[in-house]
Amino acid sequence: MDIEGYAKRGILRNDKGLKEKLADRILDIKNISRKHALEIAGAVIVEANATLNPEGELLSPTTSGVTMGEFGVGSRGLGDFYTHEKIAEVIGRTSAVVDSSHLDDSGVVRAGGQYVVVTIDGMHSRLSDFPFLAGFHVARAALRDIYVMGARPVAMLSDIHVADDGDVAKIFDHIAGITTVSELTGIPLITGSTLRIGGDMVIGERMTGGVGAVGIARSLTARIQAMPGDVIIMTEGAGGGTISTTALYYGKHSIVDETINLKFIDACEALLEAGLIEKIHAMTDVTNGGVRGDAKEIARTAGVKLIFEEEKLRALVNRKVLEMLDKLEIDYLGVSLDALLIIAPPEHASEILSCIWKNGVAAD
């Protein structure tokens, strides 16, 4: 709970009982005396008043009058895609090889004769109570974003924030999830940051954070390189954080086990080892927004139309995951499947498929 935000809203509506109400909210979460809660509430109100109407150009935030939830930011729908486009406009064109205007999975710069690929992924917000799972899936997601640019990941970094009343062990559990992926892939977690969410001003146990990754590439498989006449190949997928969250909160806990795998990474490593990356025009991971969302962004970025054979797509979704989604009436084409999407010239399709199949990953 954001107690500073609560205080500011109370001040704006001239709530005479604000201090008592805020103390009640604090006592809902913290096991302290009422005297202590009133002291905290009083201090919060003083600080909230001091920053309610700051003076100076740099201290005046821009407001739109539309909330994140109303606009669908983070929900991987039209509002979210539109926000990404506007972020790219704010940043503007840069000297990077691939920047935010490309709406790609990672950014790319050239250094020392090589491509340096950088990405950051946020953990699924509903996995706050499952820190190991959150760490595993966000680490895997960050590595996916490096691999799909045709790069080999060389390092990871993490950022974790836990609210004031969260158990300290959440940090270690989360890091354990990240380092599980690190140990299985040989890609080290080398640095990070650990903070409280909002310092003293956010109470409760909520956790959030992200994992970044850096990779090196000789050639790129950016979305913008998709060409008319290319074929589309997709690997099998069982989902990640989104599917885990769906399974957890609908009481289908056994489905979570289906998401714990590194098949995506196995497929990418096989393609790198076989030297097939140079024969691929573009790659992406089917994540939040699903096949539909990725197709929309690729079509807009590369100026191409994407045509899929749905019966082949459906067959590549983990059977147990697909059964859950169908039962819950969730469209599998609009959610993260943790599948690899490859766009390549038709003459290389057989070689690419054979390479993936030989490494125990289904694809079509």
Side-chain angles (χ1 to χ4, degrees):
M1 177 186 173
D2 177 7
I3 56 177
E4 184 177 19
Y6 184 95
K8 286 184 175 181
R9 287 191 293 273
I11 293 168
L12 288 172
R13 63 174 180 266
N14 197 28
D15 188 342
K16 301 300 183 183
L18 177 59
K19 186 175 180 179
E20 292 289 337
K21 290 177 182 177
L22 184 53
D24 288 341
R25 300 291 78 75
I26 293 169
L27 288 170
D28 284 340
I29 295 173
K30 289 186 175 291
N31 185 25
I32 58 176
S33 68
R34 184 163 191 84
K35 179 176 179 293
H36 191 187
L38 286 167
E39 290 172 349
I40 294 173
V44 171
I45 292 170
V46 168
E47 293 185 8
N49 260 312
T51 57
L52 199 59
N53 294 296
E55 296 180 359
E57 185 178 353
L58 294 179
L59 301 180
S60 301
T62 300
T63 58
S64 67
V66 182
T67 69
M68 294 281 281
E70 289 170 340
F71 210 64
V73 178
S75 298
R76 299 304 185 260
L78 289 176
D80 196 42
F81 295 144
Y82 181 78
T83 301
H84 290 169
E85 293 171 10
K86 290 303 171 185
I87 289 172
E89 287 183 20
V90 171
I91 296 171
R93 296 292 295 182
T94 71
S95 60
V97 178
V98 177
D99 61 24
S100 58
S101 67
H102 292 80
L103 300 176
D104 219 317
D105 298 284
S106 303
V108 183
V109 294
R110 196 187 294 273
Q114 291 184 305
Y115 293 115
V116 179
V117 183
V118 182
T119 194
I120 180 74
D121 273 272
M123 61 162 271
H124 198 291
S125 58
R126 295 303 307 280
L127 291 179
S128 174
D129 289 337
F130 308 93
F132 179 90
L133 200 59
F136 180 93
H137 282 310
V138 72
R140 192 179 65 176
L143 295 184
R144 287 197 312 253
D145 284 350
I146 296 295
Y147 277 115
V148 297
M149 300 301 290
R152 175 164 270 126
V154 295
M156 288 191 287
L157 55 122
S158 73
D159 180 41
I160 178 172
H161 293 221
V162 181
D164 198 51
D165 302 283
D167 194 304
V168 172
K170 278 192 170 187
I171 298 170
F172 309 118
D173 208 6
H174 183 68
I175 294 296
I178 299 171
T179 54
T180 295
V181 175
S182 175
E183 290 176 14
L184 290 172
T185 60
I187 301 160
L189 174 65
I190 62 171
T191 189
S193 172
T194 305
L195 294 167
R196 286 180 297 163
I197 300 173
D200 299 325
M201 293 297 177
V202 176
I203 60 176
E205 301 177 11
R206 184 62 59 180
M207 179 186 80
T208 189
V211 169
V214 179
I216 302 295
R218 293 192 303 271
S219 61
L220 296 176
T221 52
R223 295 177 176 187
I224 199 170
Q225 296 173 177
M227 300 289 290
D230 283 348
V231 294
I232 303 170
I233 296 170
M234 192 174 90
T235 66
E236 63 180 290
T242 300
I243 294 299
S244 294
T245 299
T246 304
L248 286 166
Y249 290 102
Y250 280 97
K252 301 179 183 296
H253 299 174
S254 64
I255 301 295
V256 173
D257 293 344
E258 302 296 317
T259 71
I260 305 299
N261 65 76
L262 296 176
K263 290 188 175 182
F264 185 106
I265 293 174
D266 292 340
C268 291
E269 279 290 338
L271 294 170
L272 284 165
E273 288 295 326
L276 291 174
I277 293 298
E278 289 78 8
K279 297 181 179 181
I280 294 170
H281 283 161
M283 296 198 296
T284 192
D285 54 338
V286 180
T287 54
N288 290 324
V291 174
R292 186 183 298 109
D294 285 322
K296 178 182 175 63
E297 289 188 341
I298 293 170
R300 178 171 295 185
T301 300
V304 296
K305 180 186 292 185
L306 281 75
I307 300 173
F308 296 90
E309 297 178 40
E310 191 188 349
E311 66 275 11
K312 292 184 178 181
L313 289 178
R314 191 174 176 85
L316 289 166
V317 182
N318 177 281
R319 180 180 56 81
K320 293 181 180 179
V321 170
L322 185 60
E323 287 176 356
M324 177 186 73
L325 294 175
D326 285 346
K327 187 173 183 180
L328 297 173
E329 298 183 347
I330 297 173
D331 183 3
Y332 76 97
L333 293 173
V335 297
S336 171
L337 297 176
D338 187 36
L340 172 62
L341 202 67
I342 299 169
I343 299 175
E347 61 266 26
H348 300 310
S350 295
E351 190 178 5
I352 293 168
L353 282 168
S354 295
C355 177
I356 295 171
W357 292 336
K358 285 177 184 176
N359 285 272
V361 180
D364 202 348

